Amino acid sequence: MHKTTKLLTGLAAGVTLSSATAAYADCGEVSITEMNWASSQIITEVSKFLMEQGYGCAIEKVPSATTTSVASLAENGEPDIVTELWLNSTGDVYRQLEAEGKVSRLTDVFDPGGIEGWWIPSYLAESNPELTTIEGVLANPELVGARFNNCPDGWGCRIVNDNLVNALGLRESMEIFDHGSGETLATSIAAAYENQEPWFGYYWAPTAVLGKYPLTKVKIGDVDANIHLANQNKDNPDPGVSDFPPAPVLTVATAALTEREPEIAQLMSNVSFDISILNSLLAWQDENGASAEEAAVHFLTNNSDIWSQWINDSAREKLAALIN
């Protein structure tokens, strides 16, 4: 953490000097979302640094969230770039903007996408490999503590989980514990790990929790897009069994940005994070009480083999002096 803080100070000084001398000659002003959750904030800080120092852009960060960013795109054609847009949460508004040619998807910002599912601690999977399928869990409920840790009420995953619980007859085998908040759900995993106890329930990635506590996904069944869609309806009269498909999570840009700054559009089309790396980065941030900017510097200073493939030759030369 001390090393990263020192590097952050040095890089900040480099930003000031570079900005003053380059006067953003290579690139104009670019606005980018700063969403109200950790992973998106880190992605924005990494992207901001690359655009400023590699391409000479003047970056404006726009505090936002999923629905507000899409509404702003529809009403104002701004901001230029939206990072970590969870497509399943945008309704038809984003798809309409895309159909009208006002915005375009640059990349899937996560590889393989946003991850949801039912999990057990990896130490439990190693000692009881039969628990890595839902059939094995149903046959041995005592090995997972005879409890399913469910999402809080009001979360989209709660509706899907409740439908899956009914379709699988899970209540016949174990207690369904509905958590009151995301904090208690995360705490239950931490407590299980601390005592090396059984745990079974829902979680998602990218998150610090999956970076700190290795979990193994339980195979619920094959992915059936129609069943999964129907299971998102709380009044589904006939819930079925489908695993959670990876959620499409995008970086998108306005048509105006793509036309005005094609090199920036190309850069942002390359910025994609392996979900396991982002989980680890979020865990590092949490353990060190670091800011999003500090986490971005930690990523940049330890993963040049990744981000150096995102940028063009000119930017690579500029950034080599600051990072290496």
Side-chain angles (χ1 to χ4, degrees):
M1 181 63 182
H2 175 71
K3 178 183 176 183
T4 300
T5 303
K6 184 177 179 181
L7 286 167
L8 180 65
T9 303
L11 287 171
V15 169
T16 302
L17 290 172
S18 175
S19 300
T21 56
Y24 303 114
D26 299 330
C27 171
E29 296 182 357
V30 176
S31 56
I32 184 171
T33 52
E34 184 179 38
M35 299 295 203
N36 56 355
W37 61 86
S39 56
S40 179
Q41 290 167 0
I42 293 172
I43 293 167
T44 290
E45 291 295 343
V46 168
S47 302
K48 176 178 180 287
F49 182 84
L50 295 177
M51 287 188 282
E52 284 182 337
Q53 293 306 295
Y55 295 79
C57 301
I59 303 301
E60 176 191 7
K61 293 189 296 184
V62 180
S64 194
T66 300
T67 55
T68 53
S69 64
V70 173
S72 181
L73 287 173
E75 295 171 10
N76 308 311
E78 296 176 340
D80 295 313
I81 299 167
V82 178
T83 59
E84 200 175 321
L85 184 71
W86 289 69
L87 191 59
N88 291 349
S89 301
T90 64
D92 294 329
V93 179
Y94 172 77
R95 291 178 177 83
Q96 182 63 33
L97 290 170
E98 195 173 50
E100 294 171 356
K102 295 179 180 179
V103 298
S104 60
R105 58 184 75 191
L106 299 181
T107 191
D108 294 301
V109 73
F110 299 149
D111 180 17
I115 302 300
E116 299 178 88
W118 293 2
W119 311 76
I120 58 174
S122 292
Y123 56 76
L124 198 59
E126 291 169 5
S127 60
N128 300 277
E130 68 273 20
L131 298 178
T132 58
T133 68
I134 193 61
E135 291 82 8
V137 170
L138 291 171
N140 302 278
E142 71 285 353
L143 295 181
V144 296
R147 168 183 282 191
F148 174 74
N149 290 272
N150 202 1
C151 298
D153 190 28
W155 289 22
C157 55
R158 173 64 175 274
I159 297 172
V160 176
N161 283 345
D162 285 350
N163 278 317
L164 283 171
V165 164
N166 290 335
L168 290 164
L170 205 62
R171 286 188 175 85
E172 299 172 10
S173 302
M174 64 187 68
E175 173 194 6
I176 308 302
F177 186 83
D178 300 325
H179 279 271
S181 69
E183 289 74 15
T184 66
L185 180 59
T187 299
S188 70
I189 297 173
Y193 249 86
E194 182 177 349
N195 299 306
Q196 295 289 285
E197 293 176 343
W199 187 91
F200 171 51
Y202 172 92
Y203 221 74
W204 74 98
T207 55
V209 167
L210 261 68
K212 293 167 69 173
Y213 307 110
L215 301 180
T216 296
K217 204 165 186 284
V218 174
K219 184 174 176 56
I220 300 171
D222 294 331
V223 172
D224 185 306
N226 292 328
I227 291 176
H228 181 67
L229 180 62
N231 281 346
Q232 295 174 52
N233 176 9
K234 66 179 181 179
D235 298 318
N236 184 357
D238 186 26
V241 177
S242 168
D243 218 325
F244 291 81
V249 186
L250 311 176
T251 293
V252 307
T254 62
L257 181 280
T258 302
E259 182 177 352
R260 185 177 80 245
E261 303 289 354
E263 288 194 344
I264 297 305
Q266 181 59 53
L267 163 67
M268 295 306 297
S269 71
N270 295 332
V271 177
S272 181
F273 290 78
D274 183 280
I275 206 79
S276 62
I277 290 176
L278 198 49
N279 283 339
S280 297
L281 185 58
L282 288 164
W284 179 91
Q285 180 188 25
D286 183 69
E287 290 167 356
N288 290 280
S291 67
E293 188 178 12
E294 289 169 329
V297 170
H298 182 76
F299 170 79
L300 289 163
T301 54
N302 290 282
N303 296 277
S304 60
D305 57 322
I306 296 174
W307 63 257
S308 64
Q309 303 304 308
W310 297 344
I311 57 181
N312 63 24
D313 291 340
S314 175
R316 198 173 294 113
E317 288 180 14
K318 294 175 185 176
L319 288 166
L322 286 173
I323 300 297
N324 297 326

